[in-house]
């Protein structure tokens, strides 16, 4: 495969970096343009072996500009159904690099998509995140079942939420609210009952109650 190189645009990069609190340098490639530039690269990845895909993901994820982290995750997402559980474990080392909400929520989608294809291994994937000291990984445990609707494992969802219900970290509380809001569209009664019987932060309640 040809090397994927994003052109640098300093004028575009400045506001993109500011939006991400200046945690990461950007090349300055807006999403539509990035999608165009990486289209062929991603399409060609379907012909690669899984080991090659994992290697490429690591290579691009460790480049400086944030756009390369995005393409690395999209590379995995495109091929996620071909991965084994052991590959998900291997990817954890990348998930924990350059953490911020944008990468974490994109990685969460990878693991959720895999769980949809392997529902019998949902708890096994959940257990990769639930006991982690890193709160970003626990955010994935909380939001792992987004979009599963009637297939949500209520026990796992409740376990993840209650473990962090008193955690003051904004992104944890936001994640709790997000997970409950999403599930409220399928089972509002269960969400209402949980909100009534547990003491949640104002942020979590506000987020969770949007559709109730």
């Amino acid at each position: 495969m040809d090397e994927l190189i994003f052109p640098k645009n300093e004028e575009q990069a400045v506001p993109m970096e500011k939006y991400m609190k200046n945690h990461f340098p950007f090349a300055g490639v807006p999403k539509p343009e990035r999608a165009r530039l990486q289209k062929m690269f991603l399409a060609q990845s379907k012909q690669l072996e899984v080991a090659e895909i994992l290697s490429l993901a690591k290579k691009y994820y460790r480049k400086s500009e944030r756009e390369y982290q995005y393409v690395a995750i999209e590379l995995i997402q495109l091929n996620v159904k071909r991965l084994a559980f052991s590959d998900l474990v291997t990817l954890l080392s990348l998930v924990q690099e350059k953490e911020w909400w944008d990468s974490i929520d994109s990685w969460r989608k990878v693991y959720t998509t895999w769980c949809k294809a392997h529902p019998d291994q949902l708890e096994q994937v959940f257990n990769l995140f639930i006991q982690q000291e890193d709160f970003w990984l626990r955010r994935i445990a909380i939001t792992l079942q987004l979009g599963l609707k009637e297939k949500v494992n209520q026990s796992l969802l409740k376990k993840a939420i209650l473990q962090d219900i008193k955690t003051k970290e904004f992104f944890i509380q936001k994640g709790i609210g997000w997970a409950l809001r999403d599930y409220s569209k399928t089972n509002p009664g269960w969400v209402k009952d949980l909100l009534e019987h547990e003491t949640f932060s104002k942020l979590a309640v506000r987020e969770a109650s949007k559709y109730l």
Side-chain angles (χ1 to χ4, degrees):
M1 291 176 62
D2 294 334
E3 182 82 4
L4 177 63
I5 300 176
F6 292 126
K8 292 196 174 185
N9 184 326
E10 291 296 332
E11 187 177 346
Q12 290 276 8
V14 171
M16 294 170 79
E17 291 169 0
K18 186 176 181 181
Y19 181 68
M20 288 298 167
K21 307 295 185 182
N22 294 305
H23 286 301
F24 314 100
F26 277 76
V29 182
K31 187 174 181 179
E33 177 68 3
R34 176 168 59 82
R36 184 185 68 80
L37 293 170
Q38 69 190 31
K39 183 177 181 179
M40 184 62 69
F41 175 84
L42 293 178
Q44 290 175 344
S45 74
K46 294 181 179 180
Q47 309 304 318
L48 300 178
E49 298 294 329
V50 169
E52 294 177 278
I53 290 169
L54 295 175
S55 179
L56 270 180
K58 182 183 293 186
K59 172 186 174 180
Y60 282 94
Y61 204 80
R62 289 175 172 164
K63 286 180 176 286
S64 297
E65 291 82 8
R66 194 59 166 169
E67 288 91 343
Y68 291 111
Q69 280 97 69
Y70 297 155
V71 74
I73 299 172
E74 289 179 35
L75 173 66
I76 295 297
Q77 176 67 31
L78 184 63
N79 294 280
V80 67
K81 293 182 180 179
R82 298 166 56 196
L83 303 185
F85 178 77
S86 59
D87 298 320
L88 300 185
V89 175
T90 298
L91 286 169
L92 282 177
S93 62
L94 284 188
V95 177
Q96 294 178 82
E97 293 183 21
K98 305 178 182 182
E99 294 170 310
W100 194 238
W101 65 264
D102 56 338
S103 61
I104 288 299
D105 291 347
S106 294
W107 280 119
R108 189 280 309 164
K109 184 179 178 181
V110 167
Y111 285 84
T112 300
T113 303
W114 194 89
C115 287
K116 287 181 178 178
H118 304 85
D120 58 317
Q121 296 187 65
L122 171 64
E123 186 167 5
Q124 198 173 355
V125 174
F126 176 82
N127 287 335
L128 294 176
F129 301 101
I130 185 63
Q131 297 295 343
Q132 298 279 0
E133 290 185 18
D134 183 348
F135 78 84
W136 286 114
L137 297 186
R138 299 201 311 276
R139 177 178 164 96
I140 293 179
I142 293 166
T143 59
L144 181 63
Q145 298 187 74
L146 288 174
L148 295 193
K149 299 181 180 180
E150 68 280 352
K151 295 181 180 179
V152 163
N153 183 316
Q154 296 175 354
S155 177
L156 298 184
L157 178 58
K158 185 175 182 180
K159 180 179 180 180
I161 289 171
L162 294 186
Q163 175 175 287
D164 268 310
I165 195 170
K166 297 185 183 301
T167 300
K168 297 186 182 301
E169 169 57 51
F170 171 84
F171 289 105
I172 285 292
Q173 292 301 323
K174 191 82 170 178
I176 289 173
W178 185 15
L180 289 174
R181 181 177 72 241
D182 182 73
Y183 191 45
S184 75
K185 290 182 283 187
T186 298
N187 194 334
W190 188 89
V191 174
K192 285 180 181 178
D193 185 69
L194 191 64
L195 290 174
E196 289 173 2
H197 288 87
E198 303 291 343
T199 304
F200 287 89
S201 70
K202 291 181 180 179
L203 172 60
V205 172
R206 184 171 66 249
E207 292 290 325
S209 303
K210 184 175 181 180
Y211 300 122
L212 296 178

